[in-house]
Amino acid sequence: MLKSVLQPSALRTSVPRTIGRLLLGAFLLLAGISHLTVSRVAFRAQVPPWLPLDTDFVVVASGIVEITLGLALVLLARRRVLVGLVVAVFFLLILPGNISQLVTQTDSFGLNSDLSRGIRLLFQPILVIWALWSTGAWKAIRASRSPG
């Protein structure tokens, strides 16, 4: 069942999904590059204080992961379902950082109120849905569960 979801996709995809996948890839590439350059200090605010790793290491590593995932979304169209699943999981894995920023009331990226940090937190599920929809992962998972 899940094995069929992870196979290379020879199925055609819609133009809106392709555009969505490419935009998400570009978004991740830019975010990853900014982790390593202009926004490196700002991203430190999203590393939870309870995480037992060096904060700068987490920012750099997550930036490298974002660049890799962005490139995969743009370049690996035949593996888009698998890439979409990995991107969705990545967005779930960084959710504690966004929650931590809200709970610790850490200002960064112009998020200087609980309301603004809370609103940003609401965008995380949208990113997960975007990754699953634009890559066809959501559709592939549903198809693998249906009989026949």
Side-chain angles (χ1 to χ4, degrees):
M1 175 166 48
L2 187 58
K3 185 177 178 183
S4 64
V5 171
L6 302 180
Q7 296 301 314
S9 179
L11 299 174
R12 293 175 47 88
T13 187
S14 69
V15 171
R17 277 195 170 102
T18 300
I19 292 170
R21 178 176 52 82
L22 295 175
L23 286 174
L24 184 58
F27 167 77
L28 281 168
L29 278 167
L30 289 173
I33 291 168
S34 69
H35 270 70
L36 306 178
T37 57
V38 297
S39 298
R40 192 162 173 176
V41 172
F43 277 110
R44 293 173 59 92
Q46 295 175 319
V47 178
W50 49 262
L51 194 65
L53 297 169
D54 177 70
T55 303
D56 202 48
F57 169 77
V58 173
V59 171
V60 170
S62 61
I64 292 168
V65 169
E66 285 184 341
I67 291 168
T68 303
L69 293 175
L71 287 171
L73 283 167
V74 171
L75 300 174
L76 301 178
R78 286 184 44 94
R79 293 282 186 181
R80 67 185 178 277
V81 171
L82 176 59
V83 172
L85 291 170
V86 172
V87 171
V89 168
F90 173 76
F91 286 142
L92 292 173
L93 290 173
I94 63 172
L95 182 60
N98 297 332
I99 293 170
S100 174
Q101 186 177 2
L102 174 65
V103 171
T104 60
Q105 298 178 321
T106 304
D107 295 347
S108 187
F109 291 111
L111 304 173
N112 55 8
S113 71
D114 286 345
L115 177 63
S116 62
R117 289 184 286 268
I119 290 170
R120 181 182 184 275
L121 191 58
L122 295 175
F123 279 94
Q124 209 67 26
I126 293 170
L127 290 171
V128 172
I129 292 166
W130 185 1
L132 295 174
W133 171 79
S134 69
T135 60
W138 199 325
K139 188 176 183 180
I141 290 168
R142 282 194 349 249
S144 73
R145 291 183 177 177
S146 63

